[in-house]
Amino acid sequence: MLNIALPKGRLGKKVYSLFAEIGYDCEDIFEDNRKLIFENSEGTVRYFLVKPSDVAIYVERGAADIGVVGKDILLETEPDVYELLDLKLGKCKMAVAAKNGWVENPDEPLRVATKFVNIAKTYYNSINREIDVIKLHGSIELAPILDMSDVIVDIVETGTTLKENDLKVYTEILPISARFIANKNAFRFKNDIIMKINTQLAEKIG
Ligand code: PRP
């Protein structure tokens, strides 16, 4: 049996549809219930529904053989897994945003609010800009509005959250999308099935 970690939420539903289309459909998954584990009727795969930012941990530790996770999480946490395929789903951007009309003071360290401390540090390091990082866990957009930070480094998908809070993108750092990942041991010992799925997924997304 192959264990698959799926992110809960919107991305998870799209990813599951892809797996269902290549032959791994599973009854009741994403129905309105609180179950977290689902097995298909053939008994060949088992899905775990996990918090999107935890998928890589389940795969790294071998609780799941394969999974799907955003490139943002891979860059931020650098898990010891194989990244096999860009699924081209859940596309968005990692960007620097600030209040409309914001003017940078180059003489002061830049105050950066973010969930993505490593990504922010790597980016500002690459442009030799000294920063003061403020780690937050959500509603990042509040920080510049309350003048707790100068900018935010965050995911922008539709841009609605920025717009509704009078913020705008100043720099796009990276494109982000969902990646198919595998546990390193599972990749050795369950190579046939993992590579078969990888090929089927690649054909499906074109
Ligand atoms: C993410 C991100 C932005 C928003 C961007 O937040 O942190 O706030 O989505 O999407 P948009 O460009 O389509 O508006 P999430 O919904 O994960 O919630 P959070 O505030 O808890 O981080």
Side-chain angles (χ1 to χ4, degrees), residues 12 22 27 75 80 96 98 108 110 113 127 129 131 141 144 162 177 201:
I22 63 167
E27 237 176 276
L75 290 169
D80 190 18
V96 178
E108 292 288 332
L110 190 68
I127 59 167
R129 180 67 166 105
I131 61 169
E141 293 81 3
L162 292 181
S177 56
L201 289 173

Side-chain angles (χ1 to χ4, degrees), residues 115-116 137-141 154-162:
K115 271 191 270 197
F116 302 97
H137 299 89
S139 303
I140 318 295
E141 293 81 3
D154 201 12
I155 296 286
V156 180
E157 193 178 354
T158 61
T160 309
T161 311
L162 292 181

Side-chain angles (χ1 to χ4, degrees), residues 15-26:
V15 172
Y16 167 70
S17 301
L18 209 52
F19 277 83
E21 282 171 35
I22 63 167
Y24 301 98
D25 56 316
C26 189

Side-chain angles (χ1 to χ4, degrees), residues 111-198:
R111 295 170 305 157
V112 182
T114 188
K115 271 191 270 197
F116 302 97
V117 170
N118 285 338
I119 292 175
K121 282 185 178 165
T122 304
Y123 169 66
Y124 283 107
N125 207 16
S126 77
I127 59 167
N128 285 318
R129 180 67 166 105
E130 194 188 339
I131 61 169
D132 170 15
V133 184
I134 303 163
K135 162 100 184 177
L136 296 177
H137 299 89
S139 303
I140 318 295
E141 293 81 3
L142 268 175
I145 295 170
L146 302 178
D147 199 30
M148 186 165 79
S149 78
D150 299 304
V151 300
I152 62 174
V153 167
D154 201 12
I155 296 286
V156 180
E157 193 178 354
T158 61
T160 309
T161 311
L162 292 181
K163 211 168 160 192
E164 291 190 356
N165 290 289
D166 202 22
L167 303 171
K168 71 167 199 171
V169 168
Y170 282 79
T171 312
E172 289 178 3
I173 303 180
L174 293 160
I176 305 289
S177 56
R179 307 299 161 105
F180 179 48
I181 60 171
N183 171 271
K184 288 190 166 176
N185 278 326
F187 190 73
R188 261 179 82 197
F189 296 109
K190 300 183 182 179
N191 189 268
D192 288 356
I193 179 69
I194 292 175
M195 284 317 292
K196 183 176 163 209
I197 291 175
N198 193 56

Side-chain angles (χ1 to χ4, degrees), residues 29-152:
I29 195 167
F30 291 117
E31 291 297 314
D32 193 15
N33 59 40
R34 303 285 298 166
K35 269 183 73 172
L36 298 171
I37 301 181
F38 298 87
E39 220 173 284
N40 68 344
S41 52
E42 294 85 0
T44 49
V45 297
R46 188 159 65 150
Y47 291 101
F48 308 141
L49 303 188
V50 310
K51 196 175 154 80
S53 51
D54 288 340
V55 167
I57 298 171
Y58 282 82
V59 174
E60 181 181 64
R61 296 226 163 220
D65 299 309
I66 57 175
V68 173
V69 61
K71 183 70 178 173
D72 50 332
I73 306 294
L74 293 179
L75 290 169
E76 182 62 23
T77 64
E78 298 181 346
D80 190 18
V81 298
Y82 291 129
E83 180 184 329
L84 298 177
L85 190 64
D86 180 352
L87 294 178
K88 297 175 185 161
L89 292 173
K91 283 191 184 176
C92 52
K93 292 190 174 75
M94 187 65 68
V96 178
K99 284 193 279 197
N100 279 309
W102 169 71
V103 180
E104 182 169 355
N105 177 356
D107 300 328
E108 292 288 332
L110 190 68
R111 295 170 305 157
V112 182
T114 188
K115 271 191 270 197
F116 302 97
V117 170
N118 285 338
I119 292 175
K121 282 185 178 165
T122 304
Y123 169 66
Y124 283 107
N125 207 16
S126 77
I127 59 167
N128 285 318
R129 180 67 166 105
E130 194 188 339
I131 61 169
D132 170 15
V133 184
I134 303 163
K135 162 100 184 177
L136 296 177
H137 299 89
S139 303
I140 318 295
E141 293 81 3
L142 268 175
I145 295 170
L146 302 178
D147 199 30
M148 186 165 79
S149 78
D150 299 304
V151 300
I152 62 174

